[in-house]
Amino acid sequence: NNAEKKHLAEKQELKTQQKNAEKKYLTEKQELKIQQNNTEKQYGREKQELKTQLNNAEKKHLVEVQKLNEKLEQSSLEAQAIVMKLKAALEFTVKKKDIKIQEINKVFEKEKNEITDRCNAERKEKNE
C-alpha cells in the first residue's frame, strides 16, 4: 500500500514535471515566435528604410543629372552664340578686306590707265 502511494506520488510528480516542462517549452516556443516576428518586423523596417534611402539617392542623382544637362544646354547655347558672333565678325572683316581690295584695284587701275595714257601720249609725240 505504501509502495503504491509512493509510486502514485512519483507518477504524479513526473506528470507535474512533464506538464511544467511542456509549459516551459510552449512558453519558450511562444517567446521565440515573438522574437522571430520582431526580427522579421525589424528586417522589414530596415529593408523599407534602405529602399527609401535608395529611392532618395536615385531622385537626388536624377536632379543632379538634370542640373548638369541644363548647364550643358546653357553652355551649348552660349557656345553657339559665340560662334555666331565670331562668324559675323569674320564675315564683316572679309567684306571690309574685299572692299579694301576693290578700292586698291580701282586706284591701281586708275594709275595704270594714267601711265598707259602718258606712255601713249609720249609715243605719239615721238612719232609726230
Side-chain angles (χ1 to χ4, degrees):
N1 217 359
N2 241 354
E4 261 183 48
K5 283 182 182 179
K6 190 177 180 184
H7 176 70
L8 285 174
E10 286 176 358
K11 191 175 176 182
Q12 187 62 38
E13 178 63 28
L14 286 174
K15 279 187 179 180
T16 303
Q17 287 177 2
Q18 184 181 3
K19 281 184 182 179
N20 289 341
E22 287 174 356
K23 283 181 184 176
K24 186 178 179 185
Y25 166 77
L26 290 174
T27 302
E28 288 175 356
K29 184 177 175 182
Q30 187 62 32
E31 285 177 11
L32 287 173
K33 274 190 173 182
I34 290 170
Q35 287 178 0
Q36 181 182 8
N37 284 341
N38 290 341
T39 302
E40 287 173 355
K41 285 178 187 175
Q42 181 64 27
Y43 168 76
R45 284 191 297 268
E46 289 174 0
K47 184 178 176 182
Q48 186 58 43
E49 177 63 26
L50 289 174
K51 277 186 179 180
T52 301
Q53 288 176 2
L54 177 63
N55 195 22
N56 289 340
E58 287 174 348
K59 285 179 183 177
K60 185 177 179 182
H61 174 72
L62 288 175
V63 167
E64 289 173 0
V65 167
Q66 182 63 33
K67 284 180 182 177
L68 289 174
N69 282 339
E70 288 170 3
K71 281 184 181 179
L72 179 62
E73 181 67 24
Q74 183 63 33
S75 295
S76 177
L77 292 174
E78 289 171 3
Q80 286 177 354
I82 290 170
V83 167
M84 288 169 47
K85 286 180 184 177
L86 289 172
K87 189 175 177 182
L90 180 62
E91 288 174 358
F92 176 76
T93 303
V94 168
K95 282 183 184 178
K96 266 181 101 171
K97 291 211 181 255
D98 284 347
I99 290 170
K100 192 71 170 173
I101 289 170
Q102 288 174 359
E103 289 173 357
I104 291 171
N105 282 341
K106 284 181 187 177
V107 169
F108 175 76
E109 190 65 32
K110 183 179 176 187
E111 288 179 5
K112 184 180 103 178
N113 288 339
E114 288 174 0
I115 292 171
T116 303
D117 289 347
R118 259 188 271 133
C119 285
N120 287 339
E122 286 175 8
R123 264 195 230 131
K124 195 174 178 181
E125 273 182 25
K126 278 185 183 178
N127 288 340
E128 289 179 355

